[in-house]
Amino acid sequence: MSVTETTVSSPLPPGKYYFSGNEALAEGAIAAGCNYYAGYPITPSSEIMERLAARFAGLEGRVFIQMEDELASICSVIGAVWAGAKGMTATSGPGFSLMQEAIGYAALTETPLVLADIQRAGPGTGQATKVASGDLMQAKWGSHGDYQPIALCPWSVQEMYELTITAFNLAETYRVPVFLLGEEAVGHLQERLDIPAANRVARRHYQPGAPPFGHPDPAGVPSMPAFGQGEKLLVTGSTHDEYGFRRTDDPAAHARLVARLNDKILQHRDRIVSTRSYRLEDAEIAIVAYGFTARSAWLAVDELRRAGKKAGLLRLRTIWPFAAAEIAALGSSVRQIFVPVPPADRRPDHLPGNHHPGGTGAVAWPATWKNTCARAPTAPRSVPAAATAS
Amino acid sequence: MNLLLRSIDELQLDLDDLLFVSGIGCAAWIPSPHFNADTLHTLHGRAIAFATGAKLFNPRLLTIVVSGDGDLAAIGGNHLIHAARRNLDLKVICANNRIYGMTGGQAAATSPRGTISATTPDGCPDDPFDLCRLVLGAGAGYAARYAVTQPRELQAAIGKTLRMSGFTFIEVLSPCPTQYGRRQGLETAPELLAELREKCLPLEQWRRLPPAARRERIATGEFTREPA
Ligand SMILES: Cc1ncc(C[n+]2csc(CCOP(=O)(O)OP(=O)(O)O)c2C)c(N)n1
């Protein structure tokens, strides 16, 4: 990938802060150089836009707008990104549903953007202030057609900050929409946030005159120009060639484009997928968890260890692309794998973990898990450093 | 299309600073890929929302939205009125053919009452939007309506809005013989153009008509915010 990272000093003075997850996410966006935010209020994500509205007002060159709905929010982000912005929006289930058509547009036009979906319990209006991670599948397959989004699952306030920066970096590196799938609990959780003196931030790769929608490498990421640079860009959501000319009747052009859109993510999955292991070295029982649920799982691992059971945790920080290889490897070293999900979600019989190619590890749903998950609020308010380390 | 390009040429605008944004539909294909400037061909109904982001982030871009009536005023109606309310510096040109052209001639929110269409075989039961008054009511700084049969007026209006700041809206009544005309007994483009020529009336004259007669005619000209 031709994207370069530079060290950018933190806009907030480095130090210890006590923030909610949503506030930390907003600060992560600012640190990553986000300079365009458009959104529409929805619980439990609204604190992100409220903080950005206040913070952008005091910073140079950052644009905030409250739009008339979620369709307008994401579309205006895409417009701003093509005008040169680093853009993001945030929402929750109902708004995420509304945004799906534009997500497909962003995937096809290779528009880098970040979308924070602070999940509530669905379907429908559901429960706006309850913990759920039921948008996982929608994040992967929500828009029609074949594309590969990237989705990250922060489990702490610290990760709401750090993974937001990662999300912007991945969006720039692969020119894709990147989702931050937080849950209500991590959005509203208050805990310590360590702001570093500086962060690594990806710089947009632009090579004047290079084709904006094609690459000699069939899994390559093209140069990302902007309006107003004299490129006379043709940006379209229809199938197009490497210069943006519509090719709506040419099956070969379509196959070539869609293959690259998918391969640029799938062939770089090893660089994108991020997991963390906890007490897995000698584990016979593994829990695979992501997001807020991983906090309960982490607690369960310690409890099981105290009871003499060799338990460990594999925590997925990226949910898409899926950590299939990592879970398959786990399957050959442990006896059992458990996949807890929040009580508001469906039983995980349709989770991809049940179909992982490893095949040796049993994916089971112990009846007791529901109870363990329901105890999530008793999880420690701050996650020990040991748990965050790889 | 021609008139728009001629206006741009006359004003000697820098093509590097021009951005054309369109939605989905026949009219949305006017700028993309034909114009030698930046073009953003978006989703059905969302052209103004995309344009909002581009313009807000880079105010130097002279941002012109060109799309159809279905695109801008039906599926995209919410964005239209909100951009007008914000008086955002967008130049919106709406090609109103009174029908959904691209999808095969279904009734639109701009089809006059009685219009025979693919989805209103017995005639459209509702009154259409008056788009100019809609955007003025929402806060637009400028709104005008002309038919393609009034090229001089139309070009003057386009030239004027390109020099203005704030939200401007020009409705261009355009013929669609295949999807609209055919079903109204106006088979050919000349017949449709003749109908437009006959129906269109300058605003002042239209105002002097008795209310019942107004419905049969189309008021053209520059609209102001005072009640008509
Ligand atoms: C979300 C969505 N709904 C429906 C369509 C199908 N569609 C394409 S063009 C069009 C109507 C266009 O009508 P108008 O904007 O009046 O333009 P015209 O073709 O008449 O110039 C529709 C309904 C679509 N592309 N996307």
Side-chain angles (χ1 to χ4, degrees), chain B residues 4 8 18-22 62-66 91 93 162:
Chain B
L4 179 55
I8 289 163
L18 270 181
L19 170 63
F20 290 96
V21 186
S22 59
L62 174 50
T63 307
I64 304 171
V65 177
V66 183
K91 314 293 138 204
I93 299 175
L162 293 183

Side-chain angles (χ1 to χ4, degrees), chain A residues 101, chain B residues 24-27 44 68-71 75 97 99-103:
Chain A
E101 186 194 15
Chain B
I24 299 287
C26 304
H44 189 33
D69 51 292
D71 189 79
I75 188 170
N97 56 10
I99 201 91
Y100 285 134
M102 179 164 270
T103 42

Side-chain angles (χ1 to χ4, degrees), chain A residues 114-194:
Chain A
V114 173
L115 194 171
D117 173 24
I118 309 302
Q119 300 163 92
R120 54 165 68 193
T125 306
Q127 293 183 316
T129 57
K130 292 291 174 276
V131 186
S133 55
D135 302 357
L136 221 69
M137 298 298 152
Q138 183 181 26
K140 172 81 170 155
W141 287 291
S143 202
H144 53 282
D146 206 2
Y147 62 100
Q148 301 290 335
I150 295 176
L152 312 177
C153 297
W155 82 327
S156 64
V157 168
Q158 188 69 33
E159 276 197 353
M160 286 289 259
Y161 176 84
E162 290 171 3
L163 288 186
T164 300
I165 299 170
T166 305
F168 274 97
N169 290 347
L170 289 169
E172 293 301 330
T173 307
Y174 298 101
R175 275 185 63 179
V176 279
V178 177
F179 306 134
L180 283 157
L181 296 178
E183 296 105 332
E184 183 278 338
V186 77
H188 287 158
L189 176 71
Q190 304 254 347
E191 63 185 6
R192 200 178 98 184
L193 169 65
D194 290 323

Side-chain angles (χ1 to χ4, degrees), chain A residues 272-336:
Chain A
I272 302 169
V273 169
S274 170
T275 62
R276 291 287 183 269
S277 302
Y278 177 60
R279 304 186 86 165
L280 272 179
E281 304 75 32
D282 60 342
E284 292 170 355
I285 302 168
I287 304 175
V288 177
Y290 50 85
F292 201 77
T293 312
R295 297 170 77 102
S296 308
W298 171 83
L299 199 71
V301 165
D302 280 356
E303 268 180 35
L304 288 164
R305 286 273 173 180
R306 271 196 298 276
K309 299 241 177 0
K310 289 185 171 174
L313 168 68
L314 179 70
R315 184 165 69 86
L316 312 182
R317 304 204 317 156
T318 41
I319 194 76
W320 307 119
F322 193 63
E326 289 74 5
I327 294 171
L330 191 63
S332 53
S333 72
V334 298
R335 266 191 308 112
Q336 270 187 305

Side-chain angles (χ1 to χ4, degrees), chain A residues 191-218:
Chain A
E191 63 185 6
R192 200 178 98 184
L193 169 65
D194 290 323
I195 299 263
N199 288 292
R200 300 288 292 167
V201 173
R203 235 207 327 237
R204 184 162 295 174
H205 166 63
Y206 167 52
Q207 189 191 334
F213 304 102
H215 200 278
D217 174 355

